[in-house]
Amino acid sequence: MKKAILFSLLAIAFSLGVHAQKSVKISVFADHIFDVVRQDSLSLEEAARHVFGMGVHGVDVYVNMDTEKLMTLQKAGLRPASAILVADLVNNDCTEEIKNALSFCHRYGCRSMLVVPGLLPDKPSREVYTALYNRLRNLAIQGKNEGISITVEDYDNAKSPCFNTMCLDQMFKACPDLGLTFDTGNFAVCNEDVMMARRHFDGKIKHVHLKDRKTMGQWEVVAVGTGCVPTQDFIESLLNKGYDGWFTIECFGAKNMLEDIRTGAENVKRFAPRAEPKPENKETK
């Protein structure tokens, strides 16, 4: 009996240990690896293997990406974490682009696709919004039927139809099947509280771009976990809510991309194991 109890306790301890050590899923933009190739005079395969060795196992890829390059990334162990479609849905139906993008997702196993729908004119009419929302709503329904989460992100341009929380709320009301790719640095650049936005969009977050800014309201991007964005609190909070998706490191414009990816990956891994249930301030939701 004592041996049976001992073995049961050991099994439970092992199970808890495996759970505690479960790795967070870290991705990076494929374009960042191309920057590493250029900055460090490496082959794409060498750059990809360097990044994979940092604990980064996914890549966010544009749907028109060169097939040979994508195969090289996959050979190094980097699998597509999310697809990205840039399409001017503000002005066009983009039927062919959408068809090709969904085909890309199925071909490479992407269960999430970020749509960047273009920019609004200076004085958008109600008709412009109606047409855009109809296109996004239909795309989100189509994606859902095909097992692909269609998302938009808080995009760092004031002319974007999904620039901030107010814009996103309006869009999600019209397009309830749309999800959110939460970009931490873009909420910061429009002076929104990142943690408040995280709570506000509970249930909508399907993918994450971890971006950091030097100061709130400013454009300068720094390595993830080194700027004004509360990256640790954000990661802990989201994991505590049951999020099990990808965290994509984003640092466009980095002058030493390989080091910024390394710093970001180390910080994400360092922050993630600290996640423990904490009471949240409901008044700021």
Side-chain angles (χ1 to χ4, degrees):
M1 177 64 75
K2 288 182 179 180
K3 282 187 177 181
I5 294 172
L6 178 59
F7 281 126
S8 295
L9 290 173
L10 287 172
I12 292 171
F14 177 77
S15 175
L16 290 173
V18 169
H19 177 74
Q21 295 171 16
K22 184 179 179 182
S23 298
V24 67
K25 295 191 292 187
I26 305 174
S27 174
V28 71
F29 278 79
D31 281 14
H32 291 0
I33 302 177
F34 303 153
D35 284 339
V36 172
V37 170
R38 177 177 53 81
Q39 292 176 359
D40 294 84
S41 300
L42 298 173
S43 70
L44 180 56
E45 184 174 358
E46 288 171 331
R49 291 194 183 283
H50 275 298
V51 170
F52 181 83
M54 298 171 185
V56 177
H57 295 158
V59 281
D60 285 29
V61 294
Y62 291 94
V63 296
N64 59 353
M65 182 177 171
D66 179 79
T67 302
E68 188 175 338
K69 289 182 178 179
L70 181 52
M71 289 178 66
T72 299
L73 297 178
Q74 288 181 302
K75 184 180 177 181
L78 300 170
R79 57 194 175 102
S82 178
I84 305 169
L85 169 64
V86 179
D88 185 16
L89 292 171
V90 170
N91 296 300
N92 302 290
D93 289 339
C94 301
T95 305
E96 194 64 26
E97 292 98 316
I98 289 171
K99 177 183 175 182
N100 292 336
L102 291 173
S103 176
F104 177 93
C105 290
H106 289 299
R107 186 160 61 252
Y108 294 107
C110 298
R111 304 327 311 164
S112 173
M113 182 171 77
L114 167 64
V115 177
V116 182
L119 301 177
L120 296 165
D122 290 336
K123 295 181 179 180
S125 65
R126 179 174 295 182
E127 289 73 21
V128 168
Y129 280 107
T130 299
L132 170 63
Y133 292 162
N134 283 340
R135 291 164 184 146
L136 285 171
R137 181 168 56 250
N138 291 337
L139 174 53
I141 292 171
Q142 183 179 356
K144 182 179 180 180
N145 290 339
E146 296 185 23
I148 300 167
S149 294
I150 305 299
T151 71
V152 293
E153 71 169 342
D154 45 304
Y155 191 76
D156 54 354
N157 188 314
K159 295 180 73 173
S160 169
C162 37
F163 174 57
N164 55 18
T165 295
M166 183 178 69
C167 296
L168 287 165
D169 280 346
Q170 184 174 314
M171 183 175 286
F172 289 147
K173 183 177 180 181
C175 314
D177 289 310
L178 269 181
L180 176 64
T181 289
F182 192 109
D183 189 305
T184 54
N186 288 352
F187 277 113
V189 85
C190 58
N191 281 309
E192 292 203 39
D193 185 298
V194 173
M195 295 304 295
M196 189 179 296
R198 201 287 298 155
R199 290 187 286 269
H200 182 80
F201 289 111
D202 268 351
K204 276 291 185 183
I205 302 172
K206 307 300 180 183
H207 192 70
V208 171
H209 289 171
L210 291 176
K211 185 191 296 172
D212 215 337
R213 304 278 186 184
K214 188 172 183 179
T215 55
M216 289 291 290
Q218 299 298 315
W219 294 94
E220 185 175 353
V221 175
V222 295
V224 170
T226 69
C228 69
V229 173
T231 304
Q232 178 177 336
D233 290 344
F234 175 82
I235 291 174
E236 289 178 352
S237 174
L238 197 58
L239 290 175
N240 288 335
K241 295 297 292 186
Y243 179 76
D244 62 355
W246 291 89
F247 290 94
T248 298
I249 294 168
E250 180 177 351
C251 42
F252 280 102
K255 291 186 169 53
N256 192 336
M257 183 61 75
L258 192 61
E259 283 308 306
D260 278 13
I261 294 173
R262 188 191 313 278
T263 298
E266 287 176 353
N267 283 334
V268 174
K269 288 183 286 186
R270 183 163 56 89
F271 297 158
R274 299 185 182 183
E276 297 176 354
K278 292 187 202 174
E280 293 196 39
N281 185 352
K282 301 296 183 182
E283 294 180 0
T284 60
K285 184 172 181 178

